[in-house]
DNA sequence: GTGGTCTAGACCACA
DNA sequence: GTGGTCTAGACCACA
C-alpha cells in the first residue's frame, strides 16, 4: 500500500521508493513477491505511469526489485544489505544535518538518541 | 566563516542558514553581534546576492537574526530555542527517513544510536 | 541444454539463440541433428512457445537450423561460418562499446586483450 | 559534439552517455569544463530536453559529471576510474557475448585479439 | 538563466 | 499483458 503526500516537497517517485523499501523491510513484501505493474500502481495512486516507472528504475538500481521483461517486477532475491559506501555517506550527511537542527532547538544528546530509539522501534511496529 | 559545497544537492541558501545557526549554537556569534551585509557576504563567498538574501530571510523567519533598517543585520536578542512544533515535526520526518535508510542497509538500533552519538559529539568539537 | 537467466536484461529469445549456436560450435549438436520442437523446448524451459518460436526464426534466418515441414527442425547442413558482413559489423559495434566502457574504467590495452584471451579460452572449456 | 544515430536500437540517452564518456576519455572534455545545458544540447541535436536530462542524470550517477543547481553541469573533478565491480561484471557479460558471436563466425583467438587491439587503438586516434 | 519533476500520451520490444 | 523510451510540454526551486 503506497500512500502519497502530494503536498510534500519530497518528489512522488522518491516517496514510492521509500515506501516500497519500507514494506520490504517490514516483511510485507518478500523476495520473489510480485509488485503491481507500473500501469496498475499508477492507476491505484492516480499518477502518471512515467513517475511509477522512474521509481521502479531507482529501486532496481538499488537492487531492491528485479524486472523480468514482459512479465513484471518482483522483489529481488538476495537483497543487498551491505551498507554501500556512497549511500552510507549520504545518510550520514543527512543525519548530521538533522542532528544539528535538533541541537539548535536545544535538544541534548540523550534527548536526540531517545528520539532515535523511539523512531527506530516505531518503524518495527506499524 | 561560511564554507559552501557547490556540488552538494543541498541548496546553497540552506547551507548558509545551517552554518549560521551552527555558529550561533557554538557561541561564535552572540545576540547583538552584527553579521555581514548581504552584499558583503555574497562577495566573500562568491555567490549571487539573491541567494544570501534568501538565506537571511529564512533566518529572520526563524527569529535567529534581526534586520534594523539603515543599520544592518544582527543576531537576535532572545533566540528561540524552544522546539517550535513545525520545525520539530519536519526534523522528525527527516529523521524517520534517514533511519529507514540505515535500517534497510541492515544497521541495528544500537549501531544507529552509536552513529548518532558520535555525530552529536563530533559537532561539539569542530 | 538451455539455461535461462530470466533476470538478465538480455531477451530470452536471444539467450536461446546464443546458447543454441554455442552448442553447435562445441559440437554438441551436429548438422542433421534434430532439435526439440517449439512446444517441447517451451515446456522444458518453462516459457511461452512464442518466445521459442522467435528464437527458432532467428536461428533459421542465420541458416543455423532448418525446418522440414511435417518432420521437425534440424541443425543445418553446411553451417555458414563465413563472417557475414552485417553480423560482423554489429559485433564490431558492440565490441567498440564494451572496449570504450573498459577504457573509461581505466583498463589498458593489455588488460583488455588479456581479458579477451581469458574469456575466449574459458568458452572452449565449459 | 554529439552525433545521434536515430536508426540505432540503442536508446538516444545511452548514445549521449556513451559519447560524453568518449569525449572525456579523449580529453576533449576536462574536469571542470562546462557541458551544454540540457535545453541547449536538446536544441542542438533536435531531441526533447527530457531525454538529455535522463542522459545527464545517468552520467551524474556514474560520477562523470556534476550538477550545480541553477548554474549548470560540469565534468567531474576526480573522475572515478576504479572499475566498480557491478559495471565490470556487466562489461564482462557483454564481452563474453560478443566473443561467442565472433567465435561462431569462425574467428580464432588471435583474430579476435587483433580486432580488439585495432579497435582500442582506433579509439585513441579519432 | 539552470536542472528536476511531472503530465498525458505515443510507440516499441518482449512474453 | 509487461516495462522502456520518447515526445512536447508544464511548473517548480534555485542562482
Amino acid at each position: 500500500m503506497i500512500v502519497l503526500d502530494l503536498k510534500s516537497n519530497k518528489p512522488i517517485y522518491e516517496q514510492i521508493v521509500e515506501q516500497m523499501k519500507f514494506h520490504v523491510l517490514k516483511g510485507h513484501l518478500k523476495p520473489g513477491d510480485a509488485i503491481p505493474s507500473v500501469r496498475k500502481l499508477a492507476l491505484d495512486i492516480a499518477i502518471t505511469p512515467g513517475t511509477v516507472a522512474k521509481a521502479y528504475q531507482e529501486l532496481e538500481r538499488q537492487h531492491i526489485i528485479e524486472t523480468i521483461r514482459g512479465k513484471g517486477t518482483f522483489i529481488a532475491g538476495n537483497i543487498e544489505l551491505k551498507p554501500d559506501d556512497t549511500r552510507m555517506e549520504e545518510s550520514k550527511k543527512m543525519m548530521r544535518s538533522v542532528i544539528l537542527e535538533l541541537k539548535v532547538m536545544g535538544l541534548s544528546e540523550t534527548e536526540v538518541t531517545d528520539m532515535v530509539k523511539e523512531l527506530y522501534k516505531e518503524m518495527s511496529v506499524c
Side-chain angles (χ1 to χ4, degrees), chain A:
Chain A
M1 190 79 316
I2 302 291
V3 184
L4 297 183
D5 175 5
L6 293 174
K7 280 176 273 177
S8 165
N9 43 346
K10 193 180 290 261
I12 294 177
Y13 84 95
E14 274 188 25
Q15 294 184 40
I16 298 174
V17 167
E18 202 166 87
Q19 291 187 38
M20 207 61 92
K21 282 159 89 168
F22 180 75
H23 287 310
V24 170
L25 178 73
K26 304 298 307 170
H28 305 147
L29 291 170
K30 291 185 194 315
D33 282 2
I35 60 174
S37 79
V38 167
R39 281 168 183 78
K40 181 169 186 319
L41 182 54
L43 270 175
D44 280 3
I45 58 184
I47 60 167
T48 165
T51 303
V52 177
K54 188 167 185 177
Y56 279 20
Q57 279 163 30
E58 176 62 20
L59 283 164
E60 181 148 32
R61 212 184 57 67
Q62 291 183 20
H63 304 291
I64 307 286
I65 65 177
E66 277 164 352
T67 294
I68 300 185
R69 318 247 293 205
K71 296 206 76 174
T73 306
F74 306 85
I75 302 299
N78 52 342
I79 294 178
E80 192 53 76
L81 290 179
K82 284 177 230 151
D84 138 28
D85 283 356
T86 319
R87 278 167 66 199
M88 196 59 166
E89 271 320 302
E90 277 172 27
S91 295
K92 266 199 172 175
K93 270 189 197 167
M94 276 188 66
M95 187 59 104
R96 234 181 294 264
S97 195
V98 192
I99 292 176
L100 171 60
E101 195 65 31
L102 293 169
K103 212 168 171 179
V104 170
M105 285 192 275
L107 272 67
S108 70
E109 187 183 315
T110 313
E111 285 170 321
V112 174
T113 50
D114 282 356
M115 176 177 157
V116 168
K117 281 175 196 162
E118 192 192 332
L119 291 174
Y120 193 99
K121 289 196 177 67
E122 193 179 281
M123 260 160 36
S124 313
V125 186
C126 75

